[in-house]
Amino acid sequence: MSKTPRASQTTTTTKRRPAAGRGPRKSKDTELACNSQEHELVGAAMNHTLAGNPLVSVRAVDLAGSAGYLLKALGKTPIKAGYHLGGYLKELRGIVGGTSSIAPDPRDKRFADPAWQSNFVLRALLQSYLAGQSELTRFIDSSNLTPLEKGRAQFVTSLLADAMSPSNSLLTNPAALRKLVDTGGMNLVRGIRQFTHDALNNRGMPAQVDSTPFKVGENIATAKGEVVFRNDMFELLQFAPTTENVYARPLVMSPPQINKYYAIDLSPEKSLIKWAQDSGVQMFVISWRNPTSEHRDWGLSEYALCLDQAVEVARKITGSPDVNMWGSCSGGITLAAYLGWLAARGEGHKVANTSWAVCVLDMPSALDDSTLGLFTTPAALRTAKASSRRKGVLSGQDMARMFAWMRPNDLIWNYWVNNYLLGNKPPAFDILAWNNDTTRLPAQLHADYLDLVQLNPYSNPGAMQIAGESIDMTKVRVGAYVIGGTTDHITPWQGCYGTARLFGEDTTFVLSNAGHLQSLVNPPGNPKSYFYAAPATADDPEAWLQNAGERQGGSWWPHWREWIQQRSGANLPAPKKLGSRKYPPLCAAPGTYVLER
């Protein structure tokens, strides 16, 4: 394992005397540590926002069975188990003698505090923990289990190891001990208070965000526009032009049903909606209704037909014979269903060009080499369908809870330390507030999504019907611009490249150096941003990357602006009013459905 240099000086904890008439002072070091902790929490959570593929729950019986695989390995290969136990005991001798070089991964923020290296007791505790984790992992890898059994055993082992990390304990977390002294124990009082609140109000999960500063329509989701159409399933928002002239062909956006649309309008400086407005693009965005159990029968067909209604309204208001469209994540899955339906009916002329953000249409590829893929069995799919059918909906809270246990260090134990041991409030950050504003999925749509895993209909013509029409994506003829993210583990970029390949070699594929949400919310100005862009001519994604040319610095937004402007028709004077006589404005954006919880 890699060796981390030892800190040059020892970190000490001293008790500070409170100033007269005031509570315990926060030291400068403590304040800096708090800021660093919040920054790390936000960064980790942004990489793990709720999205389109965690739709299959991991059942308790699967976890129990996975633990059984570990016992099976012990029973089948006791000699190997003894060998690795001996390796662990040998490492312990080195740890006690101070000769062990075992060290945490430099990227593991749990052990970034210098005290983990400078303090002998903490260093020995950390090294013992890492040694045990390493030997157990290597034992499972060397066992006679099948690859699937090994994957499940490793998952259960990682859950236990993450929970047992010494960083999760008040008595062995140096930052928590330091703050206990600095605050005179008030951090522990606040931590207990927050733990009690979460136990009563958040089903025992640590809160990930302080959402109180954010008000939809007041300081987030503030782009100017109007609701120009509403039915039981969605509102259609038309956004006001900010330029003297606009392009004739409008853009209609299909956002995910799993989250609310305003991820693309968090604030003016990182609003994709405002970017489109300032680009002269006439922008229409669907805002899905948050369904309840009475809407259990809304399925993929119903949602695809909603897109047709939105397209018809946009065409009538703008006078354009066709539109461009955008699909993000699961909203892209709906868009693909709609395009297949149009092609089957001979109405493909309604949509000229499409943009696809972090969207995988080859659903099995989104699960390959992932934790969820280990548990996506026919039995698990049946159980997941039955559960949502019984309740009528799949709740956003249930999805978020299950997803958190797929990434416990980033989405659970980070907050355990921050909220309870350090006594800090969870960060107040707009993206996290949006991610916490979850929605429900109707039971039928959930079932339809799960069928995509088994049928893979976008790659297998005729495997699925939408509103009575057989879907064959080979008949879809649209221009396409597809975005993926290098660090996106939710919709892996290789899977997004597969989406690009569905629409032919003229498709533009863009690979951004970001995770799932950051690939979408990627405004200019970040000096660390860069991307690759090239036609999707190679069969293999890695081959595409090798031949994509030089990386381009900055955000891909300006690159997309040029692409969409070239495909948006003639320049016309911007309309003075939104809507039309047939579709008058009903209320101001962001509308009413986005406020439903």
Side-chain angles (χ1 to χ4, degrees):
M1 300 186 71
S2 61
K3 183 176 180 179
T4 301
R6 186 171 299 181
S8 59
Q9 61 184 30
T10 301
T11 301
T12 59
T13 56
T14 58
K15 189 169 184 179
R16 302 180 183 275
R17 180 176 296 175
R22 295 186 295 179
R25 276 192 323 182
K26 182 185 290 186
S27 72
K28 186 176 181 180
D29 287 346
T30 302
E31 188 172 357
L32 289 173
C34 289
N35 292 338
S36 175
Q37 176 77 9
E38 180 171 306
H39 178 75
E40 290 169 10
L41 285 171
V42 170
M46 283 176 63
N47 279 322
H48 304 300
T49 49
L50 186 62
N53 71 354
L55 300 173
V56 185
S57 60
V58 178
R59 304 174 299 166
V61 66
D62 290 326
L63 291 178
S66 300
Y69 292 138
L70 182 57
L71 297 176
K72 178 181 176 181
L74 290 170
K76 290 180 66 175
T77 53
I79 295 178
K80 287 184 179 179
Y83 171 80
H84 286 283
L85 176 60
Y88 176 62
L89 294 175
K90 181 180 179 180
E91 191 66 48
L92 285 183
R93 286 196 297 271
I95 291 169
V96 173
T99 61
S100 174
S101 62
I102 193 169
D105 187 325
R107 296 170 296 180
D108 192 337
K109 301 300 183 182
R110 295 176 298 172
F111 307 115
D113 194 297
W116 287 111
Q117 296 299 323
S118 61
N119 183 288
F120 174 79
V121 174
L122 290 177
R123 185 173 69 251
L125 180 65
L126 170 59
Q127 289 179 324
S128 301
Y129 165 74
L130 295 175
Q133 186 180 28
S134 175
E135 287 296 342
L136 187 55
T137 298
R138 290 197 294 170
F139 164 65
I140 294 172
D141 283 341
S142 67
S143 70
N144 295 332
L145 298 176
T146 67
L148 178 63
E149 291 171 340
K150 286 181 181 180
R152 289 189 174 187
Q154 293 284 22
F155 174 65
V156 170
T157 300
S158 69
L159 286 182
L160 293 173
D162 292 343
M164 295 173 63
S165 169
S167 60
N168 295 336
S169 171
L170 175 66
L171 297 179
T172 54
N173 185 309
L177 289 171
R178 196 177 298 117
K179 192 162 187 182
L180 186 69
V181 174
D182 284 352
T183 66
M186 288 305 298
N187 65 309
L188 190 56
V189 173
R190 290 193 297 267
I192 293 173
R193 187 184 303 131
Q194 290 176 166
F195 175 83
T196 303
H197 179 272
D198 289 341
L200 296 174
N201 300 286
N202 202 35
R203 298 174 63 186
M205 296 288 286
Q208 295 181 358
V209 62
D210 176 13
S211 298
T212 53
F214 304 106
K215 306 294 181 186
V216 175
E218 296 180 17
N219 57 4
I220 51 176
T222 59
K224 291 185 178 180
E226 299 283 345
V227 175
V228 293
F229 179 80
R230 178 188 296 125
N231 64 17
D232 285 344
M233 294 183 69
F234 75 98
E235 291 178 331
L236 184 64
L237 311 177
Q238 181 186 9
F239 287 94
T242 59
T243 54
E244 290 186 5
N245 293 310
V246 294
Y247 291 94
R249 181 179 290 142
L251 177 66
V252 179
M253 182 173 286
S254 170
Q257 292 89 345
I258 296 170
N259 287 110
K260 295 181 179 178
Y261 85 88
Y262 65 86
I264 56 170
D265 189 30
L266 291 169
S267 62
E269 61 272 12
K270 51 187 174 186
S271 171
L272 184 61
I273 290 177
K274 187 175 186 302
W275 183 261
Q277 290 173 297
D278 294 346
S279 303
V281 174
Q282 298 192 72
M283 186 79 162
F284 291 80
V285 178
I286 286 172
S287 175
W288 298 112
R289 186 175 186 179
N290 195 0
T292 64
S293 58
E294 67 178 293
H295 307 126
R296 64 177 65 235
D297 295 326
W298 291 354
L300 187 56
S301 288
E302 285 73 23
Y303 279 94
L305 294 182
C306 283
L307 296 191
D308 194 55
Q309 290 178 285
V311 165
E312 287 302 313
V313 173
R315 291 171 67 202
K316 294 288 175 52
I317 288 176
T318 62
S320 175
D322 56 16
V323 304
N324 293 325
M325 297 195 74
W326 176 299
S328 300
C329 200
S330 61
I333 293 174
T334 309
L335 174 57
Y338 172 55
L339 294 176
W341 179 79
L342 284 179
R345 292 168 58 87
E347 298 179 6
H349 60 274
K350 288 184 179 180
V351 180
N353 302 284
T354 54
S355 301
W356 308 79
V358 291
C359 176
V360 175
L361 297 180
D362 181 6
M363 189 63 73
S365 73
L367 298 172
D368 287 345
D369 300 321
S370 71
T371 301
L372 282 169
L374 294 172
F375 298 95
T376 306
T377 63
L381 295 175
R382 288 193 299 270
T383 300
K385 286 183 184 180
S387 176
S388 59
R389 189 182 305 117
R390 184 171 60 254
K391 298 174 183 176
V393 292
L394 176 66
S395 77
Q397 281 189 331
D398 286 343
M399 284 189 283
R401 184 183 184 87
M402 186 273 295
F403 191 41
W405 283 110
M406 299 294 101
R407 302 277 173 172
N409 276 337
D410 291 316
L411 300 178
I412 296 176
W413 300 119
N414 259 349
Y415 292 94
W416 172 275
V417 172
N418 180 77
N419 300 4
Y420 307 150
L421 303 190
L422 299 178
N424 298 329
K425 293 183 70 175
F429 197 68
D430 51 11
I431 287 179
L432 303 188
W434 162 81
N435 192 54
N436 194 56
D437 190 8
T438 59
T439 59
R440 295 171 289 273
L441 284 182
Q444 185 58 53
L445 182 61
H446 182 217
D448 290 341
Y449 278 160
L450 296 179
D451 284 343
L452 298 178
V453 176
Q454 293 181 304
L455 300 176
N456 200 16
Y458 300 124
S459 298
N460 296 310
M464 177 178 70
Q465 287 195 340
I466 293 294
E469 301 288 351
S470 183
I471 301 304
D472 181 354
M473 294 301 291
T474 64
K475 296 181 179 179
V476 174
R477 298 288 184 268
V478 291
Y481 186 103
V482 182
I483 306 112
T486 56
T487 57
D488 185 353
H489 66 274
I490 298 170
T491 51
W493 77 265
Q494 295 87 347
C496 294
Y497 183 77
T499 297
R501 291 287 295 169
L502 281 177
F503 300 105
E505 294 188 351
D506 290 337
T507 299
T508 298
F509 184 68
V510 171
L511 180 60
S512 174
N513 70 319
H516 187 75
L517 186 59
Q518 305 98 306
S519 296
L520 178 59
V521 184
N522 195 289
N526 183 354
K528 296 181 180 180
S529 292
Y530 62 85
F531 66 96
Y532 297 89
T537 54
D539 291 333
D540 178 71
E542 299 296 341
W544 174 89
L545 182 57
Q546 289 295 321
N547 297 288
E550 295 294 324
R551 77 182 195 186
Q552 302 183 44
S555 166
W556 55 266
W557 282 15
H559 185 270
W560 173 77
R561 167 186 274 175
E562 183 177 350
W563 185 91
I564 195 68
Q565 286 176 337
Q566 291 174 355
R567 292 161 176 79
S568 294
N571 249 264
L572 305 171
K576 293 182 170 55
K577 296 180 180 180
L578 299 182
S580 65
R581 182 174 299 178
K582 184 175 181 180
Y583 299 106
L586 304 177
C587 67
T592 60
Y593 283 173
V594 75
L595 302 176
E596 294 181 352
R597 291 182 176 270

